[in-house]
Amino acid sequence: MQRIISLAMGLCALCFVALSFASTALAADEGSYTIDLAPLAEAVMPTLIALLGALVSAALAWAARLLHR
């Protein structure tokens, strides 16, 4: 088990080093482009709201069950 953990840590370190060099090499000039995340937010927001509603409903049901006991 210890060997798997040390291999995983080494792989993470290698990925970190590779990504740090790649990000500096591929970095664009500041202000040369913008990323608009509004379409992504509009697509994800209904799902997040439904998930939040389900979690709140579950929490209320759990609290009601505790109060009933």
Side-chain angles (χ1 to χ4, degrees):
M1 185 66 163
Q2 182 68 22
R3 184 174 177 179
I4 293 173
I5 292 173
S6 65
L7 286 173
M9 289 176 55
L11 183 61
C12 288
L14 182 64
C15 289
F16 177 73
V17 169
L19 287 175
S20 66
F21 284 127
S23 65
T24 57
L26 300 174
D29 293 333
E30 189 173 323
S32 63
Y33 62 90
T34 58
I35 299 174
D36 185 21
L37 295 177
L40 178 64
E42 289 174 1
V44 172
M45 210 43 104
T47 305
L48 289 178
I49 290 173
L51 182 63
L52 182 62
L55 289 174
V56 169
S57 297
L60 288 174
W62 176 73
R65 182 174 170 227
L66 284 178
L67 287 174
H68 187 276
R69 286 184 175 183

